[in-house]
mmCIF file of all heavy atoms in Angstrom:
data_model
loop_
_atom_site.group_PDB
_atom_site.id
_atom_site.type_symbol
_atom_site.label_atom_id
_atom_site.label_comp_id
_atom_site.label_asym_id
_atom_site.label_seq_id
_atom_site.Cartn_x
_atom_site.Cartn_y
_atom_site.Cartn_z
ATOM 1 N N PHE A 118 -74.027 -84.680 164.918
ATOM 2 C CA PHE A 118 -73.484 -83.442 165.611
ATOM 3 C C PHE A 118 -74.600 -82.495 165.825
ATOM 4 O O PHE A 118 -74.718 -81.819 166.810
ATOM 5 C CB PHE A 118 -72.348 -82.865 164.715
ATOM 6 C CG PHE A 118 -71.598 -81.719 165.446
ATOM 7 C CD1 PHE A 118 -70.730 -82.045 166.386
ATOM 8 C CD2 PHE A 118 -71.818 -80.416 165.045
ATOM 9 C CE1 PHE A 118 -70.005 -80.989 167.099
ATOM 10 C CE2 PHE A 118 -71.221 -79.329 165.702
ATOM 11 C CZ PHE A 118 -70.279 -79.593 166.731
ATOM 12 N N ASP A 119 -75.528 -82.423 164.861
ATOM 13 C CA ASP A 119 -76.610 -81.502 164.988
ATOM 14 C C ASP A 119 -77.532 -81.841 166.218
ATOM 15 O O ASP A 119 -78.025 -81.009 167.015
ATOM 16 C CB ASP A 119 -77.482 -81.515 163.720
ATOM 17 C CG ASP A 119 -78.872 -80.923 163.838
ATOM 18 O OD1 ASP A 119 -78.848 -79.647 164.186
ATOM 19 O OD2 ASP A 119 -79.918 -81.464 163.734
ATOM 20 N N GLN A 120 -77.728 -83.172 166.416
ATOM 21 C CA GLN A 120 -78.459 -83.536 167.613
ATOM 22 C C GLN A 120 -77.800 -83.127 168.863
ATOM 23 O O GLN A 120 -78.486 -82.681 169.830
ATOM 24 C CB GLN A 120 -78.635 -85.049 167.565
ATOM 25 C CG GLN A 120 -79.535 -85.605 166.482
ATOM 26 C CD GLN A 120 -80.969 -85.179 166.596
ATOM 27 O OE1 GLN A 120 -81.415 -84.783 167.705
ATOM 28 N NE2 GLN A 120 -81.657 -84.987 165.462
ATOM 29 N N ILE A 121 -76.484 -83.407 168.973
ATOM 30 C CA ILE A 121 -75.748 -83.013 170.211
ATOM 31 C C ILE A 121 -75.685 -81.495 170.399
ATOM 32 O O ILE A 121 -75.904 -80.957 171.490
ATOM 33 C CB ILE A 121 -74.314 -83.714 170.201
ATOM 34 C CG1 ILE A 121 -74.592 -85.197 170.043
ATOM 35 C CG2 ILE A 121 -73.519 -83.320 171.469
ATOM 36 C CD1 ILE A 121 -73.165 -85.950 169.813
ATOM 37 N N LEU A 122 -75.247 -80.825 169.278
ATOM 38 C CA LEU A 122 -75.149 -79.314 169.455
ATOM 39 C C LEU A 122 -76.567 -78.602 169.614
ATOM 40 O O LEU A 122 -76.760 -77.835 170.475
ATOM 41 C CB LEU A 122 -74.426 -78.837 168.209
ATOM 42 C CG LEU A 122 -74.366 -77.296 167.989
ATOM 43 C CD1 LEU A 122 -73.609 -76.579 169.020
ATOM 44 C CD2 LEU A 122 -73.983 -76.821 166.522
ATOM 45 N N ASN A 123 -77.465 -78.947 168.611
ATOM 46 C CA ASN A 123 -78.623 -78.066 168.648
ATOM 47 C C ASN A 123 -79.768 -78.587 169.467
ATOM 48 O O ASN A 123 -80.672 -77.835 169.804
ATOM 49 C CB ASN A 123 -79.078 -78.040 167.141
ATOM 50 C CG ASN A 123 -78.242 -76.936 166.433
ATOM 51 O OD1 ASN A 123 -78.178 -75.885 166.834
ATOM 52 N ND2 ASN A 123 -77.781 -77.268 165.251
ATOM 53 N N ASN A 124 -79.743 -79.918 169.865
ATOM 54 C CA ASN A 124 -80.831 -80.380 170.798
ATOM 55 C C ASN A 124 -80.240 -80.621 172.177
ATOM 56 O O ASN A 124 -80.660 -79.893 173.060
ATOM 57 C CB ASN A 124 -81.458 -81.669 170.188
ATOM 58 C CG ASN A 124 -82.296 -81.277 168.942
ATOM 59 O OD1 ASN A 124 -82.674 -80.121 168.724
ATOM 60 N ND2 ASN A 124 -82.510 -82.278 168.144
ATOM 61 N N ALA A 125 -79.272 -81.587 172.294
ATOM 62 C CA ALA A 125 -78.914 -81.919 173.676
ATOM 63 C C ALA A 125 -78.317 -80.677 174.433
ATOM 64 O O ALA A 125 -78.705 -80.480 175.657
ATOM 65 C CB ALA A 125 -77.838 -83.044 173.644
ATOM 66 N N SER A 126 -77.466 -80.049 173.844
ATOM 67 C CA SER A 126 -76.742 -78.915 174.637
ATOM 68 C C SER A 126 -77.608 -77.732 174.924
ATOM 69 O O SER A 126 -77.404 -76.915 175.746
ATOM 70 C CB SER A 126 -75.471 -78.484 173.984
ATOM 71 O OG SER A 126 -75.759 -77.473 172.959
ATOM 72 N N LYS A 127 -78.718 -77.661 174.005
ATOM 73 C CA LYS A 127 -79.515 -76.286 174.097
ATOM 74 C C LYS A 127 -80.873 -76.408 174.599
ATOM 75 O O LYS A 127 -81.577 -75.346 174.944
ATOM 76 C CB LYS A 127 -79.561 -75.718 172.605
ATOM 77 C CG LYS A 127 -78.158 -75.271 172.079
ATOM 78 C CD LYS A 127 -78.319 -74.766 170.758
ATOM 79 C CE LYS A 127 -76.942 -74.334 170.222
ATOM 80 N NZ LYS A 127 -76.987 -74.064 168.792
ATOM 81 N N VAL A 128 -81.404 -77.556 174.862
ATOM 82 C CA VAL A 128 -82.816 -77.719 175.087
ATOM 83 C C VAL A 128 -83.105 -77.164 176.497
ATOM 84 O O VAL A 128 -84.219 -76.662 176.717
ATOM 85 C CB VAL A 128 -83.283 -79.167 174.918
ATOM 86 C CG1 VAL A 128 -82.850 -80.001 176.112
ATOM 87 C CG2 VAL A 128 -84.757 -79.205 174.912
ATOM 88 N N ARG A 129 -82.230 -77.189 177.392
ATOM 89 C CA ARG A 129 -82.427 -76.690 178.758
ATOM 90 C C ARG A 129 -82.628 -75.161 178.680
ATOM 91 O O ARG A 129 -83.542 -74.562 179.196
ATOM 92 C CB ARG A 129 -81.359 -77.008 179.747
ATOM 93 C CG ARG A 129 -81.634 -76.446 181.119
ATOM 94 C CD ARG A 129 -80.708 -76.844 182.219
ATOM 95 N NE ARG A 129 -80.682 -76.131 183.394
ATOM 96 C CZ ARG A 129 -81.602 -76.259 184.341
ATOM 97 N NH1 ARG A 129 -82.518 -77.215 184.299
ATOM 98 N NH2 ARG A 129 -81.625 -75.483 185.410
ATOM 99 N N GLN A 130 -81.714 -74.513 177.926
ATOM 100 C CA GLN A 130 -81.771 -73.042 177.741
ATOM 101 C C GLN A 130 -83.026 -72.679 177.002
ATOM 102 O O GLN A 130 -83.802 -71.750 177.272
ATOM 103 C CB GLN A 130 -80.585 -72.459 177.220
ATOM 104 C CG GLN A 130 -80.588 -70.992 177.363
ATOM 105 C CD GLN A 130 -79.713 -70.233 176.330
ATOM 106 O OE1 GLN A 130 -79.730 -70.545 175.096
ATOM 107 N NE2 GLN A 130 -79.059 -69.284 176.712
#
Side-chain angles (χ1 to χ4, degrees):
Chain A
F118 192 72
D119 171 55
Q120 290 297 332
I121 301 172
L122 169 68
N123 281 312
N124 291 338
S126 85
K127 294 177 179 172
V128 75
R129 180 171 166 83
Q130 192 203 45

